[in-house]
């Protein structure tokens, strides 16, 4: 069930990124909307990178929930080596930051490299760029526009 939720969230993110990209490209060709266009396009990239990470996380959950032959130890947790992977008794998923965590039977946990290393820093960096461009676009639009009487 978790896999389905992650897949739907990734698909929704892709749809939102597409809409933001189209709106951003339309704003590029309008006069005095360059900052708004930059904010929309950076927002599309932010959502797109996060959705890409969700897709990777969903695939890891799909592998972890597979109950077929060779399902123990959990497939995403095998990267730590057979000694450590044999102690895994469960997993957890984190959404902020995106990560897949393997829990050990003796206590403790470790994070796998399921989500590419650029996803979390890219999401944060692009999110800050989106917020900065959005704030600048809002403040410059208020200065340019005459007050409504």
């Amino acid at each position: 069930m978790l896999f389905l939720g992650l897949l739907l969230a990734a698909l929704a993110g892709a749809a939102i990124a597409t809409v933001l990209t189209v709106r951003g490209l339309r704003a590029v060709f309008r006069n005095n909307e360059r900052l708004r266009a930059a904010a929309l396009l950076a927002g599309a990239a932010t959502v797109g990178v996060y959705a890409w990470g969700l897709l990777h996380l969903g695939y890891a959950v799909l592998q972890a929930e597979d109950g077929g032959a060779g399902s123990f130890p959990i497939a995403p947790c095998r990267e730590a080596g057979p000694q450590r992977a044999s102690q895994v008794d469960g997993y957890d998923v984190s959404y902020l930051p995106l990560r897949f965590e393997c829990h050990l039977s003796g206590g403790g946990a470790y994070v796998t490299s399921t989500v590419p290393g650029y996803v979390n820093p890219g999401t944060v960096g692009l999110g800050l760029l989106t917020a900065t461009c959005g704030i600048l676009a809002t403040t410059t639009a208020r200065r340019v526009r005459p007050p409504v009487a």
Side-chain angles (χ1 to χ4, degrees), residues 51-137:
W52 182 246
L54 285 175
L55 204 56
H56 282 275
L57 201 57
Y59 181 65
V61 168
L62 180 66
Q63 287 181 320
E65 293 179 352
D66 179 26
S71 62
F72 182 81
I74 298 173
C77 299
R78 291 181 194 159
E79 70 183 34
Q83 185 75 8
R84 197 168 192 194
S86 66
Q87 299 174 1
V88 172
D89 66 352
Y91 69 92
D92 195 18
V93 172
S94 173
Y95 300 103
L96 286 175
L98 283 177
R99 66 179 175 202
F100 188 90
E101 198 172 80
C102 299
H103 293 276
L104 301 172
S105 58
Y110 63 94
V111 177
T112 66
S113 64
T114 299
V115 178
Y118 59 85
V119 169
N120 289 316
T123 301
V124 170
L126 288 167
L128 290 173
L129 179 65
T130 301
T132 302
C133 289
I135 290 168
L136 288 174

